[in-house]
Structure formats: structure tokens, C-alpha cells
Amino acid sequence: MKKPDEIWKAIWPTLLKHYKRTKTFLDYETNSQLLIAVIMSAQTTDEGVNKVTPNLWKKYPTPADLAKANPRDVEKIIHAVGYYRAKTRYIIRTAQMILKDFKGVVPDDEKLLRTLPGVGRKTAVAVLTNAFNKNIGIPVDTHVIRFVKRFHLSKQTNPDIIERELLEIIPQKNWRAAGYAIKQYGHTDGKARGWKPESDPVWNAYEKFR
């Protein structure tokens, strides 16, 4: 079995060529909207979040608006998103804390972001990458987990450990591009269901290498 760093070097050019992307799949206009959208994207799809956020932004465009929202009204808007009750609590409380603790501005620091409800490493990295152009890691979601298993880049299941291992084999200059490309791959040719390895360029590159 080839080593993960060798595998990555073999598939990276093909991955970047076919799945290059420069922004998140989530729709937003402000940093606070991005933060809320990423919190809501946990254990659900970006597409699902994008279906409910237009109505959420229309009624609660700013943290000040969301901070004083009636939870039941928010639940009705985001009902189609998984774990909507818990996420309603998270996003309202997050809006309140942004106002109280950060003067209405989304912090650009991982430790500060992780003090907010519903914000873990993945969410913090996604916000810092997209809102503040900080190259500090790779947000590990279901697409990334599926990718590392398929191409034997990690045997782990814990997202934090998977990220640490990826950051060891991927040069830092490529972290952001790699995160986007892996997710783009997962949305297109690398889906879990209906995956066709024969028409998957990354898989073909992997097969030739191994």
C-alpha cells in the first residue's frame, strides 16, 4: 500500500485540474450570515441550507435582528434542515453573543469563534477561510471524510484527526485549494451514491499510481 503523502502527490494535479473552486457552496452576503449558514450546515447538505436561508436572511438580515427572534418563528423557517430545533437555539444564541461579546462583528480568531454555540473546528475553519481569507486548515465534512477513505489517505473517523493528518501530507500553500477541490469533487463525480469509478478522473489517476 502506498503512503498517504505519495497518494496525495499522485492525485492532486488531477483533482485541482477537474475540480478547482474558489468559494464555498453556501450562499451568504455578510460574515454573520456565513457563520449562521455554516452552523446550520452541520449534518445536512449545503443545498438544503441554501433553500432556507433566503427567507431567514429576509426576516433576520443582521445579528441584531436574529438575536431578538422568536425561536418558533426561526424553527418554521429552517424546519427542513436537520436538527432544526438545536440549530435554532445555536444561531439565536450566537447572534446574541456576537452583539454582546464582539460588538456585532464576527471574530476573526479560531478560539473566539469556538466560544459560540454550535461552532467547532470545522465551522471555525470554514468561516476564517471564506470570510477572512485565512489559510489555517481544511474544514472536514462528509465529503472530505468520504474522500480520504476512498483514496486511503486516512484510516481515522474523527474529523479533527483526519484534518491533522491531511495537513501533514498537503503543503500549507494548497490547504485552501485542496479543501475546495475535495468538496467540489464530492458534489460531482465523487458522490457516495451512484459513484462511477470508470468515469472518475481522480480515481483513474489513483489506479494508475497504485
Side-chain angles (χ1 to χ4, degrees):
M1 178 69 69
K2 301 291 186 179
K3 295 181 179 179
D5 61 328
E6 297 173 332
I7 295 172
W8 177 258
K9 289 178 182 178
I11 65 175
W12 169 237
T14 302
L15 181 69
L16 184 63
K17 177 182 178 181
H18 290 272
Y19 307 100
K20 186 175 182 179
R21 187 180 177 87
T22 58
K23 63 179 182 179
T24 178
F25 282 86
L26 293 168
D27 297 332
Y28 69 98
E29 293 183 357
T30 66
N31 290 351
S32 62
Q33 289 181 354
L34 171 64
L35 172 59
I36 296 303
V38 179
I39 292 174
M40 290 171 54
S41 71
Q43 296 181 295
T44 193
T45 65
D46 293 339
E47 292 84 358
V49 174
N50 288 340
K51 288 180 181 178
V52 303
T53 48
N55 287 332
L56 188 67
W57 306 151
K58 184 177 181 179
K59 190 167 185 177
Y60 310 107
T62 70
D65 298 308
L66 188 58
K68 56 188 179 183
N70 184 315
R72 291 189 177 183
D73 292 337
V74 175
E75 288 177 1
K76 290 178 182 179
I77 295 174
I78 71 168
H79 185 271
V81 175
Y83 304 97
Y84 68 94
R85 288 194 178 91
K87 291 176 182 178
T88 293
R89 293 195 299 271
Y90 290 158
I91 64 177
I92 291 177
R93 182 58 182 147
T94 287
Q96 293 170 343
M97 290 180 65
I98 288 175
L99 290 178
K100 179 182 177 182
D101 300 337
F102 304 111
K103 299 180 180 179
V105 178
V106 175
D108 62 353
D109 176 85
E110 181 187 352
K111 289 184 178 180
L112 294 178
L113 280 169
R114 293 183 69 167
T115 64
L116 300 170
V119 177
R121 168 70 182 178
K122 178 186 81 84
T123 298
V125 172
V127 171
L128 292 172
T129 297
N130 291 283
F132 300 103
N133 198 31
K134 291 194 172 184
N135 188 29
I136 69 162
I138 296 175
V140 176
D141 60 7
T142 55
H143 295 292
V144 176
I145 293 172
R146 183 167 66 250
F147 184 88
V148 299
K149 288 182 179 179
R150 180 171 292 167
F151 295 102
H152 300 97
L153 296 174
S154 176
K155 296 180 180 178
Q156 303 297 324
T157 57
N158 183 293
D160 290 339
I161 299 177
I162 288 174
E163 185 193 14
R164 285 202 298 271
E165 292 187 349
L166 283 178
L167 299 187
E168 289 177 358
I169 66 173
I170 301 174
Q172 184 174 4
K173 64 180 182 179
N174 294 332
W175 286 354
R176 181 171 182 169
Y180 285 136
I182 292 172
K183 197 158 187 175
Q184 178 69 43
Y185 167 83
H187 274 264
T188 53
D189 295 319
K191 293 180 179 179
R193 295 182 181 180
W195 176 55
K196 298 179 180 179
E198 66 277 5
S199 60
D200 181 339
V202 182
W203 181 257
N204 290 332
Y206 172 71
E207 286 283 82
K208 288 179 181 179
F209 170 70
R210 68 171 186 167

